[in-house]
Amino acid sequence: MLRPAPVPLQDFLEARLAEHHRSPHALLQILVAVQHAFHWIPPEAVEALARELKLPRVRVQGLVSFYAFLSDEPQGDFVVHFSDNITDQMQGCRDLAARLCARLGSELGQTRADGLASVHLCSCTGMCDQGPAALVNYLPVTRLSPERVDRMADLILARVPLEDWPPEFFRVESQLRRSDVVFREPLEPGSGIRGSLERGGEILPEWEEDLAPGDARRHHLERGGAETLKELYRSELRGRGGAGFKAAIKWESVRDGKSGGRFVLCNADEGEPGTFKDRFLLTEHADTVFEGMTVCGHAVGSKRGILYLRQEYQYLREHLEDVLRRRRDASLLGRNILGSGLDFDIEIHLGAGAYICGMESAMIKSIEGRRGIPRRRWPLPVHQGLFRRPTVVNNVETFACAAVISARGGAWFAHSGTPQSTGTKLFCVSGDCQRPGIYEYPWGISLREVLRDSGALDAQALQVGGPSGLLLGPEDYGRSLCFEDVPSVGTIMVFGPQRDLFDSAMNFARFFRHESCGLCTPCRVGTTLLANYVRKFERRCGSPVDLEEIRRIGEIMRTMAHCGLGQTAPAHLTESIRKFPEVWSSRMRTSEFVPAFDLDWALEEARSLTGRTDPEAHLAGVEVP
Amino acid sequence: MSGTFFLDDQEIPFREGQTVLEAALAAGRFIPHLCWRPELEPHSSCRLCTVLISGRPFSACTQPAMKGQRVVCDTPQLKDLRKAVTQMLFVEGNHFCPACERSGSCRLQAAAYHLGMQDSHFPHQFPVRERDSSHPEVNLDRDRCIRCELCVRASRQLDGKNVFGIHGRGVTSRLEVNAPSGLLRDTAIAAEDQAVAFCPTGALTVKRRGFELPIGERRFDRSDLATEVLEAFAAKEARHG
């Protein structure tokens, strides 16, 4: 490998191990650091980590092979991951990836023989409003065009270090197109915590010198926390991660939990393709997010918060650490916050590329340094979560709302929105629209209004809530975005009239096959079978029997799969077949049964091995694509 | 908490801490399953034991039994779904029963018979998987692995050896051997390990032990999976009081 190691591997590992006190739970964090520094996980690292952390080597390998951004093969000095979400695809990411490969003389998914570069596709990187996008050495590059890709190729071929690349390549814009009451003005740092503390009564100045007796302080803190919880009930805030569970109920369960050592966990794994609101919040409102976590710590009696940051957003880590430092300096975090006796601190954990880790129980496993496999349903995280301690897991936006609620009051918050969906919501609009970006609306806004504001009234279809969400057509545009009607994590991907909706079906089917964790049979096998059936239609060999099979597999997965991923994975396909039958019928060869085995297709491997593309290499009578 | 719950129309007593599956088996009611054994932590991965409670699906092997709960188990719809999931297991791997030493004592095959599976229905995937015959006593045939992780758990919890783990994710995930070479011969596995005994299929077999019982006279040739499992469970309960 050409890439010069920054320091010898053994020294690097020793430093990381010491930093994490040789805790086996730090395994994933250490592996991520190794990947960033060496662009792969060498076998010696696996060996050393297994030995030093006293773990079976197969567990270390199991982790490396589970997370998409960890590799057990050497990657190039420049590692490029093209975001392959449907919105990137509609903007030509596949052609751009091929263009870069051609310019570099490498193959997609491979490392160039001299170790210069590797080019891959990856799941959505959360830059859909400024795509097509890629990660270069794990940093986002946005607004890719043929010219920008050519320039990238020149820079790579000239081995120009990333620091010397044009800074505009790495510019990530917030693209807030519309704001409303909750996020219009940034919250004054500390106002949420002060609100929460003051609910327990006046903070006495002498407490800062620790003169007041401990009991009085404790009582004060207790009462403040309890009152803040009431305030949260008043707000009727529901979780912003998609499921819409009442935040106050979660918080109360954790507060009432018998065991101590409670955790506050912020889900910044925003993996649902087409979603980028957390990117916006962590960039523009990081203080508010941390403030919400701290208020939660106060309300539930927790001292430890963890923000689980997806790998695709690790470029934000420095900024987030800065904000945390600033908050510690301002006594808004750490020991004895604002002299109140409240202790709470936050650390950041990185993900490593796994959609499933957005599922709270899988995220908990991941933070414990394990493969992100969803746990069984019982016990719930609020009773036995991280390290079997009562754990609040909320979305980034939920915590931000909680901070605002603590500062301005529950009733104020509940004033906007609908009866079942209070407050406002951030929506991420991308795809075929004139003004992609972030839109804050009160819940209950109609889809048509969102489309009008974003310049997408001619849309033929929308995918709301990401691939696991709902496929909606023009007949649905009068419907309202709220838990009473169209619930959503806030993702709206727009498909214009020129699009073939089959492309989204193919993209999502592949996405779920790629992201299935593999634990349970229905999802592991079901996502594969579905992708294969869709592939059959891609080859224009579909038949009505296949559509029936897709529907049936969908039914099997909905009932039998272990977690939400498997249960929702077939939804887009079955809805596409129901609402847009012509997308599928136009790709059928006959109106009857066509066997999955296709003799001409079976010769494909032989053709590719011999490099034949001529008609003679096909069976007679077969239409050559 | 103890008391009773309803499994379809039958009232089932349960003890504190029992799952729906444990209580059902103790009461002589069989719920199909492949990845569960009483000695090990439940895993909830094969999904055959899926039941409905208040219309929502739960795996009986992990769902705690609760007083008065109404559990729906033996409906035509659920039986059909269990059969489909079993068919998925068959097409996912390479299962050639006539050539398999485990035929007749294979739980996957027995589950298929129990569920009335007549064919594999879905297109076979014909995966290419590596076989490991490096060990003098134990053979690992990944073609027959259904990723129930019984061997992973048994090796860790019962044998104290940690011989196995899972590598990768999704449909390409596979059983991995815990050795620098990745081969069984470099592990401490032995023919009498629980990890081998618990393999429900022919993925892990003991070498040079073939046809000790002729096909046709093996345990699931003689009796249904349900009978076998219930008898074994009752015997175990009796042993442990």
Side-chain angles (χ1 to χ4, degrees):
Chain A
M1 197 180 61
L2 283 178
R3 187 185 163 72
V7 284
L9 177 66
Q10 292 308 329
D11 297 351
F12 184 86
L13 287 175
E14 189 43 53
R16 298 290 85 71
L17 283 162
E19 184 186 321
H20 292 284
H21 313 291
R22 290 188 141 64
S23 162
H25 304 301
L27 178 58
L28 181 59
Q29 300 310 302
I30 297 175
L31 288 172
V32 168
V34 174
Q35 178 77 33
H36 285 172
F38 297 87
H39 289 195
W40 75 307
I41 313 290
E44 309 86 73
V46 172
E47 212 60 61
L49 288 172
R51 188 179 59 240
E52 296 297 322
L53 299 175
K54 300 184 174 54
L55 295 169
R57 59 177 292 123
V58 72
R59 223 185 99 188
V60 183
Q61 289 169 318
L63 225 62
V64 175
S65 58
F66 185 84
Y67 293 96
F69 286 110
L70 301 180
S71 27
D72 54 10
E73 283 173 8
Q75 301 295 303
D77 294 352
F78 295 89
V79 191
V80 185
H81 287 91
F82 279 86
S83 178
D84 194 34
N85 182 27
I86 184 65
T87 54
D88 297 285
Q89 251 181 48
M90 296 192 305
Q91 293 168 306
C93 72
R94 292 284 179 99
D95 289 342
L96 293 171
R99 189 181 183 102
L100 183 65
C101 285
R103 291 288 307 269
L104 296 176
S106 66
E107 297 233 6
L108 192 61
Q110 316 240 320
T111 300
R112 213 172 85 152
D114 64 356
L116 176 67
S118 322
V119 184
H120 300 278
L121 297 176
C122 69
S123 298
C124 181
T125 58
M127 301 289 160
C128 322
D129 55 334
Q130 42 209 299
L135 299 169
V136 180
N137 291 358
Y138 316 101
L139 294 175
V141 174
T142 55
R143 300 188 192 281
L144 294 174
S145 59
E147 297 72 39
R148 190 163 273 196
V149 164
D150 290 348
R151 185 80 190 99
M152 274 169 62
D154 294 341
L155 291 163
I156 292 172
L157 289 168
R159 295 166 197 269
V160 176
L162 246 53
E163 301 86 79
D164 300 330
W165 286 30
E168 67 267 22
F169 280 24
F170 303 99
R171 189 170 301 143
V172 178
E173 286 165 51
S174 285
Q175 304 228 83
L176 178 67
R177 305 278 186 174
R178 183 190 193 280
S179 60
D180 213 292
V181 292
V182 177
F183 296 111
R184 188 167 292 146
E185 303 291 333
L187 190 71
E188 171 73 25
S191 56
I193 298 175
R194 280 198 189 87
S196 190
L197 293 171
E198 281 162 10
R199 280 185 199 100
E202 203 187 335
I203 302 176
L204 305 172
E206 66 266 25
W207 284 6
E208 293 189 25
E209 284 89 54
D210 208 2
L211 295 174
D215 281 355
R217 259 182 197 228
R218 220 173 5 254
H219 179 70
H220 180 275
L221 274 180
E222 275 284 316
R223 197 169 61 193
E227 288 300 317
T228 293
L229 187 60
K230 280 188 197 154
E231 209 55 47
L232 196 67
Y233 267 111
R234 240 165 260 141
S235 75
E236 310 242 10
L237 172 67
R238 296 174 70 160
R240 275 11 185 187
F245 193 78
K246 286 246 168 81
I249 298 178
K250 242 187 211 183
W251 290 24
E252 188 170 24
S253 309
V254 172
R255 183 187 166 87
D256 292 347
K258 285 186 192 70
S259 94
R262 305 175 185 107
F263 284 99
V264 173
L265 229 166
C266 179
N267 184 344
D269 194 50
E270 193 158 69
E272 193 67 48
T275 316
F276 43 87
K277 66 186 179 63
D278 295 347
R279 182 199 80 205
F280 161 76
L281 284 173
L282 294 172
T283 308
E284 304 284 345
H285 295 273
D287 255 307
T288 312
V289 175
F290 293 141
E291 184 107 9
M293 291 176 71
T294 313
V295 167
C296 178
H298 180 214
V300 307
S302 159
K303 293 183 191 312
R304 280 188 72 185
I306 295 174
L307 179 103
Y308 185 88
L309 185 66
R310 71 187 304 229
Q311 178 66 213
E312 293 84 341
Y313 293 170
Q314 63 91 21
Y315 74 98
L316 288 170
R317 184 174 189 157
E318 231 174 82
H319 155 69
L320 294 171
E321 297 281 9
D322 277 348
V323 175
L324 288 176
R325 248 190 310 276
R326 202 159 23 77
R327 292 180 70 81
R328 281 183 205 112
D329 292 346
S331 188
L332 296 174
L333 209 57
R335 292 192 62 79
N336 197 17
I337 291 171
L338 295 173
S340 68
L342 176 69
D343 298 336
F344 187 77
D345 214 329
I346 296 172
E347 56 188 290
I348 296 172
H349 272 238
L350 281 180
Y355 169 71
I356 187 74
C357 288
M359 191 88 48
E360 61 181 20
S361 73
M363 172 175 303
I364 285 170
K365 285 266 187 78
S366 185
I367 295 174
E368 291 173 348
R370 295 166 175 275
R371 293 156 59 82
I373 306 277
R375 307 193 312 181
R376 60 180 119 129
R377 198 158 348 183
W378 307 105
L380 294 170
V382 289
H383 299 127
Q384 287 185 31
L386 189 60
F387 303 120
R388 300 188 154 247
R389 303 292 177 176
T391 304
V392 174
V393 187
N394 275 144
N395 178 264
V396 170
E397 190 180 354
T398 314
F399 280 121
C401 288
V404 176
I405 288 163
S406 179
R408 298 186 190 153
W412 173 85
F413 185 84
H415 191 69
S416 39
T418 70
Q420 300 291 314
S421 323
T422 55
T424 68
K425 179 80 188 82
L426 297 176
F427 292 94
C428 322
V429 186
S430 66
D432 297 315
C433 59
Q434 287 158 20
R435 289 173 294 279
I438 305 274
Y439 292 77
E440 183 191 4
Y441 292 104
W443 279 113
I445 185 86
S446 79
L447 277 163
R448 187 164 288 116
E449 258 175 278
V450 179
L451 295 180
R452 187 181 308 129
D453 290 352
S454 56
L457 277 173
D458 60 346
Q460 67 162 313
L462 308 173
Q463 184 70 23
V464 178
S468 70
L470 298 164
L471 174 64
L472 301 176
E475 66 281 7
D476 300 307
Y477 294 170
R479 294 176 65 181
S480 306
L481 287 156
C482 56
F483 292 105
E484 296 94 317
D485 191 3
V486 181
S488 161
V489 62
T491 312
I492 300 175
M493 291 189 275
V494 181
F495 304 118
Q498 76 279 24
R499 299 295 171 190
D500 184 348
L501 289 179
F502 182 79
D503 294 339
S504 58
M506 190 76 232
N507 182 282
F508 296 164
R510 283 187 177 140
F511 168 75
F512 284 117
R513 180 183 57 186
H514 177 65
E515 297 292 352
S516 167
C517 81
L519 175 79
C520 80
T521 318
C523 177
R524 186 180 67 231
V525 187
T527 53
T528 304
L529 293 175
L530 287 177
N532 289 350
Y533 276 117
V534 178
R535 180 90 180 89
K536 210 173 157 189
F537 282 86
E538 191 187 34
R539 283 159 42 209
R540 298 190 178 273
C541 301
S543 73
V545 178
D546 299 327
L547 294 183
E548 199 39 58
E549 279 301 296
I550 292 174
R551 273 190 223 109
R552 179 150 178 276
I553 293 167
E555 232 172 85
I556 297 164
M557 293 172 70
R558 255 190 301 280
T559 308
M560 304 298 272
H562 174 65
C563 79
L565 190 157
Q567 289 158 7
T568 56
H572 178 85
L573 294 182
T574 51
E575 280 301 276
S576 174
I577 291 169
R578 193 172 69 84
K579 291 188 168 166
F580 301 94
E582 66 288 350
V583 167
W584 300 84
S585 57
S586 66
R587 293 174 169 270
M588 290 185 192
R589 188 183 281 176
T590 71
S591 56
E592 284 162 31
F593 171 73
V594 176
F597 179 78
D598 177 323
L599 188 53
D600 185 64
W601 183 250
L603 294 172
E604 190 56 32
E605 193 179 357
R607 276 193 294 268
S608 74
L609 284 173
T610 51
R612 296 267 305 265
T613 52
D614 55 295
E616 291 296 306
H618 287 269
L619 293 185
V622 173
E623 219 178 288
V624 180
Chain B
M1 188 176 66
S2 63
T4 63
F5 68 92
F6 283 90
L7 184 60
D8 296 320
D9 290 328
Q10 190 184 342
E11 198 170 355
I12 307 272
F14 69 93
R15 294 192 306 269
E16 167 83 41
Q18 270 185 323
T19 60
V20 167
L21 179 61
E22 285 165 335
L25 292 175
R29 273 290 297 272
F30 180 65
I31 302 174
H33 56 268
L34 283 171
C35 70
W36 181 86
R37 291 295 284 262
E39 298 86 348
L40 298 168
E41 283 277 295
H43 198 239
S44 176
S45 64
C46 77
R47 308 303 294 171
L48 285 189
C49 72
T50 303
V51 292
L52 297 179
I53 299 169
S54 312
R56 290 178 64 201
F58 291 90
S59 53
C61 69
T62 54
Q63 179 65 16
M66 285 183 219
K67 211 172 192 163
Q69 181 171 253
R70 303 201 84 91
V71 180
V72 175
C73 178
D74 280 340
T75 63
Q77 185 226 6
L78 278 174
K79 286 180 178 173
D80 188 55
L81 289 170
R82 286 187 195 114
K83 184 168 82 178
V85 169
T86 311
Q87 288 167 324
M88 284 181 166
L89 284 172
F90 270 91
V91 301
E92 182 195 21
N94 296 308
H95 297 276
F96 302 110
C97 299
C100 182
E101 160 59 19
R102 200 53 70 83
S103 185
S105 54
C106 167
R107 282 170 190 258
L108 177 65
Q109 188 191 42
Y113 281 129
H114 176 81
L115 294 163
M117 187 182 126
Q118 305 275 331
D119 62 11
S120 45
H121 183 85
F122 301 110
H124 279 274
Q125 303 300 300
F126 301 119
V128 178
R129 296 181 182 167
E130 272 177 44
R131 186 176 303 187
D132 182 349
S133 302
S134 63
H135 193 273
E137 295 176 354
V138 179
N139 190 55
L140 167 60
D141 187 342
R142 290 190 177 87
D143 279 344
R144 302 166 181 170
C145 177
I146 57 169
R147 258 158 300 176
C148 63
E149 296 186 41
L150 278 171
C151 62
V152 179
R153 287 175 280 160
S155 182
R156 184 175 61 227
Q157 290 170 31
L158 305 178
D159 303 328
K161 291 184 183 176
N162 260 320
V163 171
F164 298 104
I166 297 291
H167 192 274
R169 77 175 183 209
V171 80
T172 54
S173 62
R174 61 164 197 265
L175 188 64
E176 184 79 342
V177 173
N178 189 24
S181 62
L183 293 172
L184 271 184
R185 67 159 186 246
D186 297 321
T187 69
I189 199 165
E192 50 281 355
D193 279 3
Q194 296 294 311
V196 182
F198 277 15
C199 179
T201 70
L204 284 169
T205 49
V206 177
K207 286 184 173 177
R208 286 177 300 282
R209 243 183 248 165
F211 298 95
E212 287 177 350
L213 266 181
I215 286 176
E217 290 176 28
R218 299 178 178 190
R219 45 202 291 224
F220 300 123
D221 293 332
R222 289 193 312 265
S223 63
D224 183 73
L225 178 66
T227 320
E228 280 283 314
V229 168
L230 288 171
E231 276 173 10
F233 192 81
K236 195 174 156 56
E237 291 267 290
R239 268 203 309 281
H240 297 284

